[in-house]
Amino acid sequence: MENKYKPRELEKKWQKIWEDSGIFKVTEDLNRKKYYLLEMFPYPSGKIHMGHVRNYTIGDVVARYKRMNGYNVLHPMGWDSFGMPAENAAIDHKIHPATWTNENIAYMRKQLKEMGFSYDWDRELSTCEPEYYRWEQLFFLWMYEKGLAYKKSSIVNWCRDCKTVLANEQVEAGLCWRCSKEVEEKYLDQWFFRITDYVDELLEYCDKLPGWPERVITMQKNWIGKSFGCEIHFPMAEGNDVIKVFTTRQDTVYGATFMLAAAELPLVMEMAKGKPVEKEVREFVDKVKKQDKLMRTSEYYDKEGIFLDAYCLNPVTKKRMPIFAANFVVAEYGTGCVMAVPTHDQRDFEFAKKYNLPLIVVIQPPNKSLNVHTMTEAYMEEGMLINSGQFNGMENMKALDAIAEYLESMGRGKKTIQYRLRDWGISRQRYWGAPIPIIYCDKCGTMPVPETDLPVVLPRDVELTGEGGSPLGKYKAFAETQCPKCGSAAKRETDTMDTFVESSWYFDRFCSPQCAEKPGLDRKKVGYWMPVDQYIGGIEHAILHLLYSRFYTKMLRDFGVLDFDEPFINLLTQGMVCKETAHCKEHGYLFPEEVKDDKCKHCEAAVTIGKSEKMSKSLKNVVDPDYLIKQYGADTARMFCLFAAPPEKDLEWSDQGVEGSFRFLNRAWRIVMDYRDDVEGVKSAGGGETLEGELKNLRRKTHQTIRKVTRDIEDRFHFNTAISAVMELVNALYLIERPAQEDKVARSVIRETIETVIILLAPIVPHVTAELWKALGYEGSLADVPWPAYDHEVAAEEEITIVIQVNGKVRSRMVVPVDEDGEKIKALALNDEKIVSLISGKKVVREIYVPRKLVNIVVQ
RNA sequence: GCCUGGGUGGCGGAAUUGGUAGACGCAAGGGACUUAAAAUCCCUCGAUACCUAGUAUCGUGCCGGUUCGACUCCGGCCCUAGGCACCA
């Protein structure tokens, strides 16, 4: 073996050894504790990026660490391979989505292998294969049967550029999450999953996920948006119709002086019909619908409304309330109608002032009196009810129940609960997705495809033009079929499923990836591995993917396929990988290689270095993993990703930092190779030796390092501090005087330290450590060497530094034996040379001794 | 506006339960080795002051509080990132 660290060569060598020996393949073993470690699988977009490298490195360290701790570790990888980019590539480059996808998969698989991740590649799955999505289609049929999948016409978010329907979650501030085009509205027949059937359980279990980050739980709770309130019925002034509203503020019902309806509601035009205002109302409604398109992007626009020339009655005051259509009322929330209480709701207040509507104060603040003529804003705080009939004098918060019950007793309302969460629209007018197994027959209606006819295979030779409409719809061989019941000509559903459906159960499939028996999940195997012990992925999936996966888990449980409630016990959301940007006035954002000496390579203009932002192709602040691997090797890339920041925080990329990591690996390599001959044939120190001086210190440091690294990984995944600790140990090793050849004891201590360094780094940098392990003469696989235990006694300090404070300020230090008596330490502190001069002439009021830490002398 | 995080040297970050602020790394400076350079190894490295060795004062976004003692706990404010947002 040559004495130089050559990462490329040795990494290839070890990757081949791991692949050939198949050491990362796992099977169920009831005698061992299982550990399922999962990283969010990637969309095969072309190449892996640094975000993947970071995510998968974190996961790999934990997987390898758990393995060394004796766990039977499941660590799979696969591909979320349906989705729009493949279809866009097909249109742009005339390449079939399947070809494009599979080429990407092949390249990215190669890249992941080059990173040395310990995946069981036998379990690899790709969601665009019929072997995968056929089970998804089966689940769909079951859902259809149970009413959990249903079809309804609805306004959907439509992106003109992507020509597709977007889920609410895919709309970000009114823009398409992918292409940032403004989202429009469109009516379409859509398939929905009734996630709202599980809304209470999804919310309730948020508090039963202690292993999830608090902020993810908060985001999920907000997304579900449960609010307790009251439905109130307002009879029309004429006729027998009733307007129902939802409110959380039924305590203010006596102050409701007018009614607001969302302009889009059909109700609005019905009320205005045949009246002189009809034309005006129609114009207003049309205007609001147009406004709506721009709505979420612009600043809040003015609160506007139009009187519908209709009245309803306040059920408690019996007063006539004019009804308005308004632009700021949300049609999809509650009933789309709102009782307006201008005195206690700011929006209603502004509206009332604009249209000169009556105000009645019903909540009296504790320290002032409200006057409807002088109020400048709504009073939204708590107070005492007034002008509220029998409820006068009650605290408004306490009246909520009483008023709800009163309304109920009148038959004018009832307590209800509202959610923000809506059902999950899964229809996509796209080609590259899992077909929905439904057939439409003129005679028999909507017919599920019989289970025996599954899978409904996505046909290959479909023409993709990029023109609107569904590509499958135009492909007759697919779209035209026979009714499974009556045999007459029928049409297939040509929409495909949202790709979030595939990612909602892939973690189950990894447990039995080849299972060809219905339902595609081997109960025994899934029962052994699931739930996932540790899930790792980006925060951007905090709502969508995680909520859908939780829903799917509960639903499959109720189908009898699974027997657990939640899929992911522990969740780690890693931060983004960021880097500063470089910008040239002339040429826009620049790649790092386009900048030389702070100048643009194209035009010599000075380059503006922008703040650090998430690496992205558009900002050109990316680092190519291929380049890193080629230049430094996978171990350096892994090491830097872990060392630069704790996993949950954003990682600030630094080329010099990468150099530093590379230097450390070289440094570790050199010291091991340097001592290689010295420690050959020597046994690692194992206690029993009598040591003193620097050898004793080294051995103590070694065991302290084991303790620190174990705790940092075990308790909190803080690999950065774990690496720091190993660096310190290596530094200590460098400072040791080289022992004489005949000093066997010294050599055994050094061997122990060297072995410790290698083992502790093994999960982090598996290639270089495997090579060094072999250099020490070991033949077995380092990945299966047991994680070391530290010796309490060896790790214990003999002497400790006690800080001496006067009035809380550090004034001196002293070194005492670790078990020194507290009284004696106090006495020593008072006699300390510096302390004596500081406290002379002053009165010692108090002495505080914190064992093993400090003495604080309080003087006056 | 509301809800979460976060704010510590020139930089990334340590400080695990209220007890030595700045571990480790990067950058910078110095030294050793070398014909020389690179690489490597060793040392210094928060600010200010001083007759610069040592010692003092200040210092964890800002203001106040609790405490013998606060990066850590409490109250108020500022900045910043993310999420939600006319949800009645």
Side-chain angles (χ1 to χ4, degrees), chain A residues 128-138 141 434-437 449-459 478 492 516:
Chain A
C128 67
E129 301 299 336
E131 295 77 51
Y132 183 83
Y133 65 72
R134 62 175 301 173
W135 307 115
E136 193 166 303
Q137 291 174 335
L138 178 68
L141 295 179
I436 296 171
V449 171
E451 277 190 23
T452 46
D453 290 355
L454 293 183
V456 177
V457 177
L458 187 69
F478 178 83
R492 275 191 198 282

Side-chain angles (χ1 to χ4, degrees), chain A residues 112 140 205 560 642 705:
Chain A
L112 294 183
F140 183 97
Y205 272 78
L642 297 166
T705 305

Side-chain angles (χ1 to χ4, degrees), chain A residues 403-432:
Chain A
I403 291 181
E405 278 155 27
Y406 176 58
L407 287 164
E408 195 156 357
S409 71
M410 296 167 69
R412 289 294 183 197
K414 61 178 180 207
K415 275 198 229 176
T416 52
I417 292 165
Q418 274 294 321
Y419 299 92
R420 221 184 67 95
L421 181 75
R422 324 265 163 75
D423 278 338
W424 174 14
I426 58 126
S427 292
R428 296 290 180 274
Q429 291 65 49
R430 308 289 301 188
Y431 163 68
W432 194 236

